[in-house]
Amino acid sequence: MKKKVLLVGGRSKSKSLALSLIKRGYQVTAINDIYDDCLKLAEIKKLSVIFGDGTKPFVLEDADAAAYDIAIALTSKDEDNLVVCELCKKRFHIKKTVALVSDPKKTDFFYKMGIDSVVCAISAVTSIIEQQAFVDEMANIVPIGEGRIQIAEVPITGSAPVVGKKIWEIDLPKEVIIGCILRSNTAMIPRGDTRILAGDVLVLISSSGQEIAAVKGLTGR
């Protein structure tokens, strides 16, 4: 049975995540309170779109929120994202909640409030990658924090120059890190002595524009 994901708010972020999740076989619904954004989202095949304010319980109820496995709050307001996740978790009993925050100082507070994953433009975002396994192919790039941060997925073939090397031996641009390695059906948080193997998919976290140079260095292409 397909896992069901509820996206609340966001513009380009919601579209990118919806496309990625649908491609991986998830059933996705997007709630957005801007009508023009809803029209854009409705162009995505297999995406259900609801026009409304996701911070309102009756909108979540109309969306049948209790039937979803994961809720991701992507609005531009941290407080709204907290409200969405709190409602989804405590009222509709959604198992996993993810909140976008713009202020890194709020991250710990969000976790204390029971949010499962908190994504900040300048903080570690590997937990959300572990949970949702957004990685599918190198072309899939998810913008975070109004595009300032990119999450890029890089499959490593047998001919890649980094095969057999340890993380600390790889020369990456200063503002790029390998946040996660997907190996077979396992998500790994790498250490400096973790060795790259053929068939791995590396999840890069980088400042916008830095991922291109990193991909070339990792793949040799």
Side-chain angles (χ1 to χ4, degrees):
M1 188 174 180
K2 289 183 178 180
K3 281 194 173 183
K4 301 180 69 176
V5 180
L6 185 64
L7 305 179
V8 181
R11 295 185 180 183
S12 60
K13 291 181 286 292
S14 183
K15 184 177 180 180
S16 296
L17 289 178
L19 287 167
S20 180
L21 290 166
I22 290 170
K23 189 174 182 180
R24 290 191 59 81
Y26 290 87
Q27 184 176 336
V28 184
T29 295
I31 298 175
N32 201 297
D33 62 356
I34 299 176
Y35 188 71
D36 286 345
D37 289 349
C38 288
L39 293 178
K40 289 291 185 182
L41 288 167
E43 296 173 358
I44 300 174
K45 288 185 178 181
K46 298 183 181 180
L47 176 65
S48 298
V49 181
I50 296 173
F51 175 50
D53 184 351
T55 65
K56 306 298 183 185
F58 70 88
V59 173
L60 294 172
E61 189 168 350
D62 287 345
D64 194 21
Y68 287 80
D69 303 290
I70 304 156
I72 306 177
L74 298 164
T75 80
S76 60
K77 297 180 179 179
D78 292 351
E79 58 270 25
D80 285 352
N81 290 337
L82 179 60
V83 169
V84 169
C85 288
E86 288 286 280
L87 284 171
C88 288
K89 174 72 76 172
K90 296 178 180 178
R91 181 161 180 167
F92 296 98
H93 307 293
I94 293 179
K95 189 174 181 181
K96 293 187 182 296
T97 54
V98 181
L100 182 69
V101 296
S102 57
D103 184 354
K105 295 178 182 178
K106 297 177 182 176
T107 300
D108 288 342
F109 176 72
F110 272 51
Y111 279 122
K112 288 177 182 178
M113 294 299 291
I115 311 305
D116 297 294
S117 293
V118 182
V119 182
C120 180
I122 57 174
S123 66
V125 295
T126 51
S127 58
I128 189 173
I129 301 166
E130 278 187 285
Q131 291 176 23
Q132 310 310 332
F134 288 141
V135 176
D136 195 351
E137 59 186 14
M138 185 170 56
N140 184 20
I141 298 178
V142 181
I144 299 293
E146 301 302 324
R148 294 189 300 273
I149 298 296
Q150 301 283 345
I151 303 175
E153 311 154 29
V154 185
I156 300 300
T157 65
S159 60
V162 296
V163 171
K165 289 188 176 181
K166 296 180 179 180
I167 296 291
W168 67 266
E169 297 176 311
I170 300 172
D171 186 19
L172 287 173
K174 185 177 180 180
E175 295 182 10
V176 177
I177 64 170
I178 298 173
C180 181
I181 298 176
L182 298 185
R183 181 171 294 167
S184 298
N185 295 320
T186 303
M188 304 168 50
I189 306 301
R191 301 170 61 90
D193 59 355
T194 300
R195 198 176 295 277
I196 304 299
L197 303 180
D200 284 352
V201 176
L202 309 185
V203 181
L204 303 185
I205 303 169
S206 66
S207 295
S208 181
Q210 295 295 311
E211 67 279 359
I212 297 175
V215 169
K216 288 181 179 179
L218 291 167
T219 64
R221 292 185 285 161

